[in-house]
Amino acid sequence: MSTWRRALAAAGVRDPELRGDYDAQRRLVARFRRSSYLAARLLLPAPVLPHVVAATAVMHHGDNLLDTGSRPQRVAAWASWEQRVRKALETGVGDDPAIRALLHTVAAYPRLREALEDYLATATAELEFTGFTTEADFQAYVDAYSLPAFMLVGTLLGPEADDGGYRALCRTLMEGSQRLDFVNDLAEDLPEGRLGIPAETLARFSLTPEDLVAGQAPAGLRDLVNDQIDAARTSLESARELTALAAPWGRALVNAVIEIELLTADAAAARGAGLLNGSAGPPLPATLRVLHHARKLRRTTA
């Protein structure tokens, strides 16, 4: 029996049709978030893995709907998906493999329902995003979109009861991760007119979006990159405390996610103004060391 089949059995997914629904989500996650899937498969206990995969698949599908096509197409696609998910939550019946797997996961982890409701209520913030004027706009985006999307998975990795400390540190993680994504993805976002660095921040370094689109790389750009990565790194380092608050089965994965983000920050800083030509990724040897350490952490917290 394969590792995945054993995980489905351990998670109580025995109905053949439902197994097929989870299989479809595994293929989606493995195709589009391969590194995340491999880390989850390596670091999560079998009974939890299918549920994290199902939640990740819903998050990824939502991202695609919110980001693909013209704005009217995106609005219509999201409205249809949201309505179908809400109807499924009300009736307990889904009309899509992702929704059926999600329903089973919500039944296994009832606290996920609140996180899902929060996500559905605020995800349209991504539809409105075309850039930020101020740092406050960026912070509002983290609250409205980045954090609720992450909590689809973060809730599964967290404690059954949270006094607010776990969610607050998830928010710190998302602030750092989102800021890093925006600076690291300059080459991808600029052609789409979706610059994630606030205009007031650009102005501090005597830069405009037009400068970046034109591919100009004055000293101000290097300083801007360093500033944003330093801010992201500060948040990510503070988020290390999250590992201790996660559920025992989630600590190894949470630790790995944070450390790989910090490796990505280092790689992006090394690329500097070259981020205008493409994003940076964490070096493979260092990533493997992080995963090796995380596996040791899993053994001590299992």
Side-chain angles (χ1 to χ4, degrees):
M1 183 183 294
S2 70
T3 300
W4 175 247
R5 291 295 174 189
R6 285 195 295 271
L8 288 175
V13 183
R14 298 183 176 87
D15 177 78
E17 182 180 6
L18 186 59
R19 281 185 166 228
D21 294 335
Y22 274 90
D23 285 345
Q25 306 325 300
R26 184 194 65 80
R27 290 192 296 270
L28 175 69
V29 173
R31 186 166 65 249
F32 290 103
R33 295 179 180 268
R34 187 163 185 80
S35 60
S36 298
Y37 171 69
L38 291 175
R41 183 169 172 172
L42 182 67
L43 300 173
L44 287 176
V48 182
L49 175 60
H51 299 302
V52 169
V53 166
T56 303
V58 167
M59 182 173 62
H60 177 74
H61 183 65
D63 283 346
N64 277 345
L65 294 177
L66 293 163
D67 291 341
T68 304
S70 67
R71 189 177 188 284
Q73 289 172 326
R74 290 184 285 124
V75 169
W78 174 260
S80 174
W81 173 252
E82 180 185 355
Q83 183 180 38
R84 290 163 65 195
V85 174
R86 290 190 182 280
K87 182 178 179 181
L89 288 173
E90 292 173 3
T91 64
V93 179
D95 63 356
D96 179 275
I99 295 175
R100 290 193 294 268
L102 178 66
L103 286 175
H104 184 79
T105 289
V106 170
Y109 291 87
R111 64 182 183 273
L112 180 60
R113 187 183 186 105
E114 182 178 353
L116 181 58
E117 294 282 1
D118 287 345
Y119 170 70
L120 293 173
T122 62
T124 52
E126 176 69 358
L127 289 173
E128 308 303 325
F129 170 64
T130 56
F132 307 122
T133 301
T134 67
E135 171 68 15
D137 296 331
F138 165 75
Q139 296 292 341
Y141 176 89
V142 172
D143 286 327
Y145 184 69
S146 307
L147 178 60
F150 174 75
M151 292 308 295
L152 293 178
V153 174
T155 296
L156 298 178
L157 302 177
E160 291 189 17
D162 177 23
D163 62 3
Y166 176 79
R167 183 181 175 87
L169 281 170
C170 285
R171 204 274 183 197
T172 300
L173 171 59
M174 282 300 98
E175 178 180 342
S177 182
Q178 188 65 74
R179 197 185 299 276
L180 175 61
D181 282 351
F182 279 142
V183 69
N184 197 28
D185 292 344
L186 282 172
E188 179 182 343
D189 292 345
L190 282 168
E192 298 177 357
R194 290 164 53 86
L195 183 62
I197 300 175
E200 70 175 12
T201 303
L202 292 176
R204 284 200 286 116
F205 297 92
S206 301
L207 292 169
T208 67
E210 291 73 24
D211 292 332
L212 303 184
V213 170
Q216 298 177 7
L221 177 56
R222 292 191 297 274
D223 293 339
L224 170 70
V225 168
N226 289 335
D227 175 80
Q228 292 299 287
I229 291 176
D230 285 347
R233 188 183 284 112
T234 296
S235 295
L236 293 168
E237 289 174 347
S238 296
R240 280 174 165 154
E241 297 179 25
L242 188 62
T243 301
L245 296 184
W249 61 81
R251 289 172 188 166
L253 183 58
V254 169
N255 172 267
V257 166
I258 295 170
E259 297 306 319
I260 291 172
E261 285 287 84
L262 285 164
L263 289 176
T264 304
D266 292 341
R271 183 159 295 183
L275 291 174
L276 285 181
N277 301 315
S279 60
L284 180 58
T287 300
L288 293 176
R289 285 194 295 272
V290 164
L291 293 176
H292 176 70
H293 172 77
R295 288 196 74 180
K296 291 172 62 177
L297 176 63
R298 177 189 168 182
R299 287 196 291 270
T300 62
T301 58

